[in-house]
Amino acid sequence: MLFILLIGLPATFIYAGNGSRVAKEGVLDLRNTENKAAIHTLNGEWEFYWKTLLLPGQFNKDVTPDTYGKIPSYWTSYNEEIEDVTGFGFGTYRLRILLPKDFPDSLSLQIPVFDSSYELFLNGAYICGNGKIGRSKQLEEPGYQPYIYSFFNTSDTLEIVIHVSNFSHRRGGFWMNMNLGQTDHVLKKNETNKVFNYGLNGILLGTFVLFFAFFFLERENRAFLFFALTTFGVFIRILHTGLFPVLFLFDQSWSLTVKMEYIGLYTAIVFGVFYLNELFPSKFMKKMAIANALFFLAASIMVLISPPYIFSYAIYALYSSVLFFLTYYIYRGFLGTLKRKTEDTIMFFSFTLFLLTVINDILVAQSVHPLNAPYLMPVGFLLFIGIQVLLLMRQWINNYRQRTIMHEELQHVNLNLESIIDKRTQDLNKTNKELRTALEMKNRIFSIIAHDLKSPIASLAQYSDLMVEEFGNEKNAEIIHELRKLSYSSVDLIENLLHWGMKQEDHIQYHAEDVNIAEVVSELHDLFYPSLKNKQITFEQHVGERLTGYCDKSLLKIILRNLLNNAIKFTRENGSVTITAEKTGSEVTIILSDTGIGMEEAIIKKIQNNHVESTRGTAGEKGTGLGLSVVRDLVKINNGTLRIESKPGSGTSVTFTLPGKP
């Protein structure tokens, strides 16, 4: 990708070697040019004859142009000089080029596409054309194909005459740059453009395949799918513009080429907006994204059933949509930059750069060339997708780490579960008669949860992973993903029940060791990153890299996981969660605070008295009420103390201690 970018940037901006030399009243004077070997852009004032097709031999003193039209531009911009000019019509362009005596004799013309057919004469001889020139729609055949004509020049003057007709597009004329230069320089530049263009297409196609594969591996992450389809839309568009690579593969009509260009653009804008909403979730912008998709679905149908001179007007709606959504997400990225969020800062600068290239392309499409360069969006999008690939790969790696951490915790629970089952079986054989009491009934229920419920639900969760991979098609994907979510929620519920039950019977295994607090906090941040991002909660940690506590590492993870889960659950969007740890004497003090909704003093007392009560979170999250009870018991097992401080509307702060190294 870097190689293609290094090639593409010079190829994009190597244009005019003639400095400020432009044609004046149909004449481009290069006789005093300093760099004769440069590639000269033939811009400026060309003679223009409206509704007239003059052959090279028909120009004389009695024939005067209707205007000296600015090139590049559409002929509709000549409406002040020519009253009856419209998008449909035909005309003749003429330019005389005065060359110095020592000008290179081996020359090439780099000829762009015209809207929508042309034929070109050089020094009186026909050299090339696209489509078929016509004085009416019935006689015209449109065509697109860039062309390079090389010739050996022996004259000090070149005359270029171009016939252009348009009855097929909404606009007509000479709207792209034409270049003249020494043959080897022009051909070298053209080859460089080809390498960049074809390389960019390869990168886009490869990116589409890669992230489509990622989506199949991780169906719940729709950002992968939307990003893949966005790159595919840009891939289709670039195939049908610029050097028109598709014409080297297929012999397709001009109309189909234009239709596919627009279909590619619409695909990119629809799925690009959905992708951005995955990065910066918003209910309002989700509705806007759906409305945007419906509009461009209708526009795509118009592309399929109507001719280009009708459906091409929808391009103005596309410009408005791109500018609106990019401006909004630049604003969101800027807000994240102010909060010193690294990913948001990167997105802010990538959005801004991409927006500038989009603005350039909009102007170029209107025959305005602010940078004297062609379409820059391919270069801007190449930089943009490079940044997105890095961010999405990082997200995929983090998700993989989360799954690994959850698998390790599940293994730990299963290891304790076997010990519990064995012990409970022995106790049941010895105390058959005591099962009639309330305490014995509680132990029996716990045994059922541990032995008969935990294993099948854990298996169900694992099978749901396989179902997502194998059967998560469009029809049943939502049901399967919901099943998977509920399965893992049930596993977490049972895990808390197990630890609560084991505490009642004093069966929790405790293995103390020196534990690096910062490493545990970092692992849990990675685990809860999607939840934090979904509610746009700021997470901060103030933990020394070498700070250690003497405790059971697995139990510490469960303590912090329950506390962090509660903090996220009861903190509204755009809130914050902070974890602080420090050495205080012979102990380590850990504080987890949030800016959530807080609790009444009566609720804190219920928790201290082992009263289980479930409350829904700020986003409707469900729970069991066991979390803080489990935390209190596991802190005690680790020889620590627990303190809860909270006020309604002012957030909650949970402080617990761990012993230092003995």
Side-chain angles (χ1 to χ4, degrees):
M1 185 179 293
L2 180 60
F3 172 73
I4 297 300
L5 185 60
L6 291 175
I7 288 178
L9 285 174
T12 300
F13 290 101
I14 295 176
Y15 256 74
N18 55 340
S20 60
R21 295 180 183 275
V22 295
K24 302 277 184 159
E25 296 185 350
V27 178
L28 176 61
D29 191 348
L30 299 179
R31 288 176 296 184
N32 296 322
T33 183
E34 296 179 0
N35 188 2
K36 299 178 178 61
I39 297 176
H40 302 273
T41 303
L42 308 184
N43 289 346
E45 297 174 350
W46 286 51
E47 297 177 13
F48 180 67
Y49 303 84
W50 177 237
K51 290 188 177 179
T52 303
L53 299 177
L54 295 173
L55 294 173
Q58 295 178 323
F59 294 94
N60 54 56
K61 294 181 180 180
D62 297 328
V63 178
T64 58
D66 293 302
T67 186
Y68 291 103
K70 178 185 174 183
I71 298 300
S73 66
Y74 298 109
W75 57 45
T76 49
S77 64
Y78 311 153
N79 56 0
E80 292 185 2
E81 298 86 359
I82 306 174
E83 293 183 358
D84 63 339
V85 69
T86 62
F88 288 172
F90 56 91
T92 302
Y93 293 90
R94 179 174 181 254
L95 177 70
R96 294 172 60 243
I97 306 172
L98 307 181
L99 304 176
K101 293 181 180 180
D102 55 349
F103 202 74
D105 50 13
S106 178
L107 300 175
S108 290
L109 272 175
Q110 190 175 37
I111 304 166
V113 297
F114 294 76
D115 277 331
S116 51
S117 62
Y118 80 95
E119 54 186 16
L120 189 148
F121 301 85
L122 177 64
N123 289 344
Y126 171 83
I127 63 171
C128 66
N130 273 175
K132 181 181 177 182
I133 290 292
R135 297 174 184 269
S136 66
K137 181 173 178 58
Q138 291 73 24
L139 297 176
E140 182 196 58
E141 293 180 9
Y144 273 169
Q145 181 63 66
Y147 190 75
I148 292 180
Y149 176 72
S150 300
F151 61 98
F152 189 80
N153 180 54
T154 58
S155 172
D156 61 357
T157 302
L158 299 178
E159 181 192 51
I160 300 175
V161 176
I162 307 174
H163 294 163
V164 180
S165 68
N166 176 61
F167 295 95
S168 303
H169 213 290
R170 75 174 189 277
R171 70 234 172 143
F174 188 168
W175 63 286
M176 293 290 287
N177 292 324
M178 179 182 293
N179 299 314
L180 171 70
Q182 193 171 329
T183 295
D184 56 349
H185 290 178
V186 172
L187 294 179
K188 182 178 180 181
K189 176 191 170 184
N190 187 61
E191 289 303 314
T192 303
N193 285 339
K194 283 184 178 179
V195 171
F196 173 69
N197 197 275
Y198 296 158
L200 177 58
N201 275 284
I203 290 173
L204 290 172
L205 184 59
T207 303
F208 164 70
V209 173
L210 176 65
F211 282 92
F212 209 76
F214 279 164
F215 171 68
F216 274 101
L217 294 174
E218 198 171 329
R219 295 291 183 87
E220 69 276 6
N221 194 334
R222 296 185 300 174
F224 291 154
L225 174 63
F226 295 148
F227 186 68
L229 293 174
T230 302
T231 58
F232 185 71
V234 177
F235 167 73
I236 294 298
R237 191 254 183 184
I238 295 178
L239 274 180
H240 296 82
T241 55
L243 297 178
F244 297 89
V246 70
L247 299 180
F248 292 97
L249 303 174
F250 307 103
D251 183 19
Q252 66 182 34
S253 67
W254 175 86
S255 178
L256 179 59
T257 300
V258 178
K259 286 176 182 288
M260 292 304 297
E261 174 193 355
Y262 277 72
I263 292 293
L265 280 173
Y266 296 164
T267 301
I269 182 63
V270 167
F271 290 105
V273 170
F274 280 124
Y275 167 67
L276 294 177
N277 192 63
E278 289 292 313
L279 299 182
F280 299 95
S282 165
K283 292 182 179 179
F284 172 74
M285 292 307 293
K286 183 177 181 180
K287 293 179 181 178
M288 293 296 294
I290 293 173
N292 180 70
L294 292 175
F295 175 83
F296 284 108
L297 174 61
S300 298
I301 295 173
M302 285 296 297
V303 168
L304 296 175
I305 65 175
S306 64
Y309 67 82
I310 293 178
F311 70 70
S312 60
Y313 281 100
I315 195 70
Y316 296 110
L318 184 136
Y319 294 156
S320 301
S321 178
V322 170
L323 292 175
F324 169 75
F325 285 107
L326 275 181
T327 302
Y328 171 78
Y329 287 110
I330 286 174
Y331 168 72
R332 289 290 301 272
F334 179 70
L335 293 181
T337 301
L338 295 179
K339 296 178 181 178
R340 297 183 179 181
K341 295 180 179 179
T342 302
E343 288 189 2
D344 286 2
T345 302
I346 294 173
M347 294 298 291
F348 168 70
F349 285 107
S350 64
F351 285 150
T352 303
L353 177 63
F354 188 48
L355 177 61
L356 293 176
T357 64
V358 169
I359 293 173
N360 175 81
D361 282 19
I362 291 174
L363 295 175
V364 169
Q366 305 306 312
S367 74
V368 178
H369 295 253
L371 300 177
N372 195 30
Y375 290 116
L376 292 179
M377 196 173 75
V379 177
F381 191 72
L382 182 59
L383 288 169
F384 183 76
I385 66 170
I387 294 171
Q388 300 310 306
V389 166
L390 292 176
L391 293 177
L392 288 173
M393 288 291 291
R394 181 173 180 268
Q395 180 183 347
W396 188 82
I397 292 171
N398 287 337
N399 290 342
Y400 176 78
R401 288 176 178 172
Q402 292 174 21
R403 290 193 296 269
T404 302
I405 293 172
M406 292 179 67
H407 179 68
E408 290 176 353
E409 289 191 359
L410 187 60
Q411 284 184 325
H412 173 76
V413 173
N414 285 335
L415 179 64
N416 283 338
L417 186 60
E418 293 177 4
S419 173
I420 294 170
I421 292 173
D422 291 338
K423 179 64 177 175
R424 187 63 62 200
T425 301
Q426 294 174 9
D427 291 343
L428 288 174
N429 290 334
K430 293 179 181 180
T431 57
N432 259 342
K433 294 180 181 180
E434 300 175 3
L435 290 175
R436 297 175 184 175
T437 64
L439 180 60
E440 291 167 344
M441 182 59 70
K442 181 193 70 174
N443 291 339
R444 184 176 182 183
I445 292 173
F446 174 70
S447 177
I448 292 172
I449 293 174
H451 184 274
D452 296 330
L453 187 59
K454 174 64 171 63
S455 294
I457 290 183
S459 299
L460 178 61
Q462 294 171 347
Y463 282 131
S464 68
D465 286 335
L466 296 176
M467 291 176 68
V468 168
E469 295 178 2
E470 297 295 332
F471 307 108
N473 55 39
E474 295 180 358
K475 226 174 190 181
N476 55 28
E478 184 176 354
I479 298 174
I480 292 177
H481 285 299
E482 188 63 22
L483 174 62
R484 182 178 182 275
K485 177 181 176 183
L486 291 173
S487 299
Y488 276 101
S489 296
S490 300
V491 170
D492 287 341
L493 167 60
I494 293 174
E495 183 180 358
N496 277 337
L497 285 171
L498 286 175
H499 282 88
W500 178 79
M502 286 189 291
K503 175 59 178 66
Q504 309 308 307
E505 297 300 317
D506 295 323
H507 290 159
I508 293 180
Q509 297 183 12
Y510 173 71
H511 302 289
E513 61 180 323
D514 281 331
V515 178
N516 187 297
I517 308 299
E519 290 180 358
V520 174
V521 172
S522 295
E523 288 180 13
L524 290 171
H525 171 260
D526 291 341
L527 178 64
F528 284 94
Y529 178 77
S531 300
L532 291 164
K533 185 175 182 181
N534 187 49
K535 297 182 74 172
Q536 301 180 33
I537 295 174
T538 302
F539 178 86
E540 295 182 10
Q541 64 180 69
H542 305 288
V543 184
E545 294 182 359
R546 299 183 179 180
L547 182 63
T548 61
Y550 190 73
C551 61
D552 186 302
K553 186 174 183 179
S554 298
L555 299 183
L556 175 60
K557 286 183 179 181
I558 294 170
I559 292 170
L560 287 173
R561 180 163 58 82
N562 275 285
L563 291 177
L564 186 53
N565 183 62
N566 275 354
I568 296 171
K569 177 180 176 182
F570 295 107
T571 298
R572 295 187 176 91
E573 289 188 359
N574 300 311
S576 64
V577 175
T578 304
I579 295 181
T580 304
E582 58 184 3
K583 191 73 176 291
T584 53
S586 61
E587 294 181 328
V588 174
T589 301
I590 301 175
I591 304 172
L592 193 149
S593 58
D594 60 59
T595 59
I597 59 177
M599 294 183 289
E600 298 282 354
E601 184 66 24
I603 296 178
I604 297 176
K605 289 182 178 180
K606 288 182 179 180
I607 295 171
Q608 293 171 341
N609 294 328
N610 203 26
H611 179 81
V612 177
E613 183 174 316
S614 175
T615 307
R616 286 184 178 269
T618 58
E621 302 98 322
K622 297 180 180 179
T624 61
L626 286 175
L628 285 176
S629 295
V630 170
V631 166
R632 184 198 59 201
D633 294 334
L634 296 186
V635 167
K636 185 176 181 180
I637 290 173
N638 278 279
N639 300 312
T641 59
L642 178 71
R643 184 174 73 255
I644 303 173
E645 298 174 339
S646 182
K647 290 183 179 179
S650 300
T652 299
S653 177
V654 179
T655 304
F656 67 95
T657 61
L658 297 173
K661 187 173 182 179

